[in-house]
Amino acid sequence: MANASLTTRPAAESRYDVVALGEVMLRFDPRDRRVRTTRTFDVWEGGGEYNVARGLRRCFGLRGAIVTALADNEVGRLVEDCMLTGGLDTSWVQWRDYDGIGREVRNGLNFTERGFGVRGAIGTSDRGHTAISQMRPDDVDWDALFSSGVRWLHTGGIFAALSESAAEVAEAAMSAARRHGVVVSYDLNYRPSLWKGIGGVERAREVNRRLAQHVDVMIGNEEDFTASLGFEVEGVDEDLTDLDTAAFRTMIKTAAAEYPNFQVIATTLRGVKSASVNDWGAIAWSREEGFVEATHRADLEIYDRVGGGDSFASGLAYGLMELGSLQEAVEYGAAHGALAMTTPGDTTTASLAEVAKLASGGSARVQR
């Protein structure tokens, strides 16, 4: 089925439906405890760019691959084992020799509390000198990858913030993808902790505005567009409790005018009432269909908010590849994000049937 907003390569002519470029870390989850007091953790893999491709594979049944780099030690092999469970092709993973102590190369670790009620979620990353932050643009034969048949490349602002060379790797991948007719999506994913030591918001804007020139589908929330690209969203309060879609429409029009390469722009709308209750929705725009808005879910109960935006992005990408309209795509994205936040971990456990049911107005009644 052809989508009215975006043209993608036919699946029958492609080796991969999606390729993701980004860091994959090992997440340590203290469950209902605090990182500072727990004695046990659950562990699984996660990464802003990886989560999108994994969602497209595990929930939506599409074929995917991950381009990343890992230190070749027991922790790296644990991350690989988790990725294999996620179903992505790992043949493009770059393995780096480990020196035995991590002076030169390491694997990223992420300690994340889910939060509850008035206690917000907290993420503490340990990702200095990681293998992927040291990647160079010519470490991967991008033309060989994309000429093999790829429909979609996804990367984003988390990866681009890891190092000077990471931004260059992203640009090389995005440029090659566009040469081969691959749709490029980019999630701005602004993280102050990643940018504060390398130039702050000014550097974030410099890098992201350069990379934005290679993007077909731009994704982000209100803070992302402001911090990463410099587009202000008027009327949004500091606590993000009153999200006016009219203000987002104005911002999106401005971004579309400045970047004529943007074919689709999408943003999640999250009003944070507490760590456990959020208002949740999304708005999207395309040059062909204009503005559409997903079903607004007031007072959505949250179990683990991490990965909700990534799951929105994967549902949106699925809709743009496999469904007929932007309205369907944004509904699938918002529904998938909502479902992903009902379970622990960065990655989705939802099924396509569950997403389709919720996107069409289904309830949470028990199924027997």
Side-chain angles (χ1 to χ4, degrees), residues 37-347:
T37 58
T38 191
R39 297 298 181 267
T40 59
F41 291 94
D42 289 330
V43 295
W44 39 63
E45 88 285 20
E49 297 83 13
Y50 165 83
N51 295 342
V52 176
R54 190 191 192 281
L56 283 164
R57 173 65 187 91
R58 292 292 287 174
C59 177
F60 297 103
L62 302 187
R63 303 155 299 168
I66 175 66
V67 178
T68 192
L70 294 167
D72 194 356
N73 58 22
E74 294 304 297
V75 175
R77 293 298 173 178
L78 173 56
V79 175
E80 179 193 34
D81 196 60
C82 292
M83 291 193 297
L84 290 170
T85 301
L88 298 181
D89 183 351
T90 59
S91 63
W92 297 90
V93 174
Q94 309 287 301
W95 290 98
R96 300 290 182 254
D97 290 338
Y98 183 63
D99 61 14
I101 196 170
R103 288 191 181 95
E104 298 178 358
V105 65
R106 304 172 57 245
N107 294 302
L109 308 177
N110 183 25
F111 298 81
T112 301
E113 296 179 13
R114 302 172 199 165
F116 183 83
V118 296
R119 176 172 59 85
I122 299 175
T124 304
S125 296
D126 181 12
R127 66 199 309 174
H129 308 292
T130 55
I132 195 167
S133 70
Q134 301 176 50
M135 278 186 71
R136 296 292 182 266
D138 58 358
D139 284 346
V140 175
D141 187 339
W142 301 110
D143 287 315
L145 172 57
F146 294 121
S147 65
S148 69
V150 177
R151 301 173 73 191
W152 196 287
L153 169 69
H154 181 75
T155 190
I158 293 177
F159 172 62
L162 295 181
S163 65
E164 188 77 30
S165 65
E168 294 171 357
V169 172
E171 188 164 27
M174 296 160 80
S175 298
R178 289 175 67 85
R179 285 198 304 273
H180 290 277
V182 178
V183 169
V184 176
S185 66
Y186 189 92
D187 193 329
L188 291 162
N189 260 335
Y190 178 71
R191 298 289 185 268
S193 59
L194 290 178
W195 293 101
K196 68 179 181 181
I198 56 172
V201 69
E202 293 79 12
R203 179 58 176 161
R205 288 180 182 176
E206 178 187 345
V207 170
N208 283 290
R209 289 177 71 85
R210 186 177 86 237
L211 295 179
Q213 300 173 53
H214 305 284
V215 173
D216 299 298
V217 180
M218 181 60 81
I219 303 167
N221 63 23
E222 65 291 321
E223 183 184 21
D224 296 333
F225 278 95
T226 299
S228 296
L229 294 180
F231 296 118
E232 297 293 335
V233 184
E234 299 294 336
V236 175
D237 69 358
E238 183 178 355
D239 295 323
L240 305 180
T241 56
D242 183 17
L243 300 180
D244 179 6
T245 60
F248 283 87
R249 290 170 185 248
T250 300
M251 180 275 292
I252 287 172
K253 287 180 180 178
T254 303
E258 184 159 339
Y259 293 95
N261 51 291
F262 290 175
Q263 299 304 306
V264 175
I265 302 173
T267 181
T268 53
L269 305 173
R270 185 195 293 270
V272 180
K273 296 182 175 179
S274 75
S276 311
V277 177
N278 292 180
D279 291 341
W280 175 255
I283 187 171
W285 167 94
S286 76
R287 296 191 183 277
E288 294 297 322
E289 297 182 81
F291 284 97
V292 298
E293 190 170 340
T295 300
H296 182 69
R297 294 180 172 86
D299 298 326
L300 181 69
E301 293 176 296
I302 305 295
Y303 187 79
D304 183 350
R305 67 168 283 167
V306 178
D310 302 330
S311 292
F312 166 78
S314 62
L316 179 78
Y318 172 79
L320 290 170
M321 281 189 274
E322 301 295 328
L323 303 178
S325 69
L326 184 61
Q327 181 68 58
E328 292 174 284
V330 76
E331 290 285 9
Y332 270 59
H336 190 220
L339 287 167
M341 292 186 288
T342 67
T343 54
D346 292 31
T347 56

